[in-house]
Amino acid sequence: MPPSSKLPENSARGKTRSIFERITQQGAIDLANEQEENIYLFVPNLIGYLRIVFAALAVYCMKNHPKVCAVLYCISAILDVADGMAARAFNQTSKLGGVLDMVTDRCSTTCLMVFLSSAYPDWFNVFQFLIALDFSSHFIHMYASLVTGATSHKLIQSEVSKILWLYYNNRITLFIFCAGNEIFFVALYLVYTSKLPTLGISPEIVHAVVPALVKEQISAALLDGVSAYVAGMTLAHIVAIVSFPICFTKQIINFVQFWKASKTLVGVDLSERANNRQKKQ
């Protein structure tokens, strides 16, 4: 069993206790076996299982059926919103559901980025880094929340991080960044796999809208190259361009989440070491 993470009694930052001090692992398993309340069948958890099915089907279709994959992937993501609404409506929030959502999100996004890393080999290392950052930041944040006794990893105080507080405590903000992040990767996937109709922007239109001052600063070959690229753009290209800033900001949030959780665990370690020294005196 993990060591106690009780903070000193004179701590100015609260006197929370670790969840591990309230119940042992064997005690938790005994309660689960008794099944006084079947949390497995909570409505939001049932939706969570359905999310896994859609995500698995999306991964299965990823190589050969891009449009079907994109639809299934988006349905799985939309159900993430639905299970949260169900949890609040039926008063059926649970740690199982919270972790299930996070694991489903991490696994489905990772599968998509693994595909993208092979589709865009020049960006292979970038996708590897994003996968590592996504997993590590959420794992360490979840663990830090548990050892400090938080009832949910989304309960962030503004004193801890204003960025994370704004991210987790506003459902609209949380939805925008989570959705925008996934939409960007799905758009990149469709750019590579789907032969969507172009937007019909001719090279002549591009030449006409580019200011003369800009034309003077770039070569004719570069302008022709840009014009040809724009002429071949599809709706997926536009979605990727629009959602990129959201996705980029989401990676910054992931980094902040990793850093703050790391500092939290360092604080817990210092508290435990101080308690151990007091016990030895």
Side-chain angles (χ1 to χ4, degrees):
M1 185 172 69
S4 168
S5 61
K6 183 179 180 181
L7 299 179
E9 292 299 321
N10 59 354
S11 172
R13 288 296 181 184
K15 302 175 182 178
T16 58
R17 292 170 60 87
S18 165
I19 184 175
F20 300 116
E21 292 185 305
R22 294 196 294 268
I23 185 171
T24 64
Q25 184 177 12
Q26 184 58 51
I29 292 176
D30 290 341
L31 286 174
N33 289 334
E34 291 175 5
Q35 294 276 335
E36 291 183 4
E37 189 175 23
N38 198 335
I39 293 178
Y40 293 116
L41 297 182
F42 275 9
V43 173
N45 291 343
L46 293 176
I47 297 175
Y49 307 148
L50 193 59
R51 283 195 65 206
I52 295 174
V53 172
F54 278 107
L57 290 173
V59 173
Y60 178 78
C61 297
M62 193 169 287
K63 183 178 180 180
N64 299 315
H65 305 283
K67 293 180 182 178
V68 175
C69 169
V71 171
L72 293 171
Y73 191 96
C74 289
I75 291 175
S76 178
I78 292 172
L79 288 176
D80 189 18
V81 179
D83 66 10
M85 296 174 62
R88 291 186 292 272
F90 293 99
N91 191 26
Q92 292 183 339
T93 57
S94 65
K95 289 180 173 59
L96 172 64
V99 174
L100 192 66
D101 274 350
M102 183 174 289
V103 171
T104 303
D105 290 338
R106 304 288 72 76
C107 291
S108 57
T109 303
T110 297
C111 289
L112 181 56
M113 285 199 283
V114 166
F115 183 93
L116 293 176
S117 66
S118 62
Y120 300 93
D122 292 342
W123 296 92
F124 179 83
N125 290 332
V126 173
F127 287 116
Q128 281 189 320
F129 170 77
L130 293 179
I131 291 170
L133 177 62
D134 191 42
F135 262 104
S136 60
S137 67
H138 285 84
F139 172 80
I140 195 171
H141 175 66
M142 175 72 79
Y143 186 77
S145 299
L146 286 174
V147 299
T148 53
T151 56
S152 171
H153 67 280
K154 295 181 180 180
L155 296 178
I156 300 293
Q157 296 177 344
S158 59
E159 293 85 357
V160 174
S161 171
K162 290 185 178 179
I163 292 176
L164 296 181
W165 182 82
L166 290 171
Y167 175 68
Y168 278 116
N169 287 275
N170 188 304
R171 293 172 188 167
I172 296 177
T173 303
L174 183 63
F175 173 79
I176 289 174
F177 281 105
C178 290
N181 184 66
E182 297 295 336
I183 288 172
F184 173 72
F185 293 126
V186 172
L188 286 184
Y189 167 74
L190 290 175
V191 166
Y192 178 81
T193 58
S194 297
K195 296 180 180 180
L196 299 174
T198 62
L199 298 176
I201 303 175
S202 65
E204 290 75 17
I205 294 178
V206 178
H207 279 267
V209 298
V210 174
L213 182 61
V214 175
K215 292 180 181 178
E216 294 174 0
Q217 302 299 320
I218 62 176
S219 65
L222 178 59
L223 181 60
D224 289 340
V226 172
S227 300
Y229 179 81
V230 173
M233 288 178 61
T234 66
L235 180 60
H237 288 84
I238 300 299
V239 172
I241 293 171
V242 171
S243 59
F244 172 75
I246 300 175
C247 178
F248 183 81
T249 306
K250 178 66 166 63
Q251 309 317 312
I252 296 176
I253 293 172
N254 283 347
F255 178 80
V256 172
Q257 182 169 257
F258 182 92
W259 173 242
K260 289 296 182 178
S262 299
K263 292 186 70 174
T264 298
L265 292 179
V266 168
V268 171
D269 285 334
L270 291 172
S271 173
E272 291 176 350
R273 291 174 66 84
N275 284 338
N276 290 335
R277 285 194 296 269
Q278 289 180 0
K279 291 177 181 178
K280 293 178 180 179
Q281 292 176 357

